[in-house]
Amino acid sequence: MKDIQIVLFDVDGVMTDGSIYIDSTGESFKKFNVKDGLAIELLRSHGIKTGVVSGKASTALTERCEKLGFDYIITGCKNKLPRVQAICNELNINWQQVAFVGDDVLDIPVMEMCGISFAPKDAHDLVYKYATHVTEASGGHGVVREVADKLLLSRFETLEQIYDVLLSKIIADDVASMEQ
């Protein structure tokens, strides 16, 4: 885990519980967990790049990802493998330096290739075969935060050491870029 340079996330079933809410006009909505927002800031504060590679695309999804400051936002992508390879090429890193978090069969090809893969505890049964780690959290219930904590605990001894960088920003009132 110490060599990970980027963490990429699927969205539906990872950052959300997989539910899609549709109103009477046909507009769809998704529910995100604010704990995950701070996790993106935490990873960024420790020099780890982040991104989403999602099979679905929506204005709400793009807006949420932009607010959180992901380095890469790829939506509407069913075959994720070539897009992740392009990110590796751009960053001049290899697959062993990539962590991926996925919950369904669209994610399996990337999970097979990357150095570390996570699946939420409510992922599809087939996905568990390819996950090097299964989170205690279900999709949409803090998976991103749990992944960030686990990755960073491989580099630091305590949660206090991991979160010191965020606490320092809060105390210094340097929170303009911090999104939940």
Side-chain angles (χ1 to χ4, degrees):
M1 284 198 218
K2 292 180 180 180
D3 294 331
I4 297 300
Q5 299 295 311
I6 187 167
V7 184
L8 300 171
F9 301 91
D10 178 38
V11 175
D12 294 311
V14 172
M15 293 177 64
T16 76
D17 66 6
S19 298
I20 298 174
Y21 304 94
I22 302 175
D23 70 11
S24 61
T25 66
E27 185 71 29
S28 63
F29 302 91
K30 298 176 186 200
K31 178 178 78 168
F32 293 89
N33 191 310
V34 296
K35 293 176 186 175
D36 291 342
L38 278 179
I40 301 307
E41 178 67 24
L42 184 65
L43 290 167
R44 179 177 28 258
S45 295
H46 287 286
I48 298 173
K49 296 202 176 294
T50 59
V52 296
V53 185
S54 176
K56 290 198 176 290
S58 72
T59 303
L61 170 59
T62 301
E63 184 176 317
R64 176 70 175 151
C65 292
E66 286 175 353
K67 278 186 181 178
L68 291 179
F70 281 100
D71 296 293
Y72 295 90
I73 302 169
I74 301 167
T75 61
C77 179
K78 305 290 189 235
N79 182 3
K80 300 176 181 188
L81 206 55
R83 298 301 295 271
V84 176
Q85 181 63 61
I87 292 170
C88 289
N89 293 346
E90 181 180 326
L91 295 175
N92 197 28
I93 62 173
N94 63 51
W95 281 94
Q96 292 304 303
Q97 296 170 294
V98 177
F100 188 82
V101 188
D103 74 307
D104 214 336
V105 295
L106 286 176
D107 303 315
I108 290 172
V110 174
M111 293 174 83
E112 282 186 293
M113 295 292 293
C114 65
I116 296 172
S117 58
F118 292 86
K121 78 173 184 180
D122 61 342
H124 186 275
D125 285 342
L126 187 58
V127 173
Y128 297 133
K129 179 179 177 183
Y130 301 94
T132 54
H133 302 277
V134 177
T135 65
E136 293 181 28
S138 296
H141 296 279
V143 169
V144 176
R145 185 71 161 267
E146 185 178 334
V147 168
D149 286 351
K150 283 185 180 184
L151 281 172
L152 292 169
L153 277 171
S154 73
R155 299 173 184 200
F156 297 91
E157 292 183 20
T158 66
L159 286 174
E160 288 80 7
Q161 290 173 323
I162 293 168
Y163 281 89
D164 185 55
V165 66
L166 287 187
L167 291 170
S168 296
K169 285 182 179 184
I170 293 166
I171 291 168
D173 200 23
D174 183 18
V175 294
S177 67
M178 216 179 278
E179 182 68 38
Q180 288 184 288

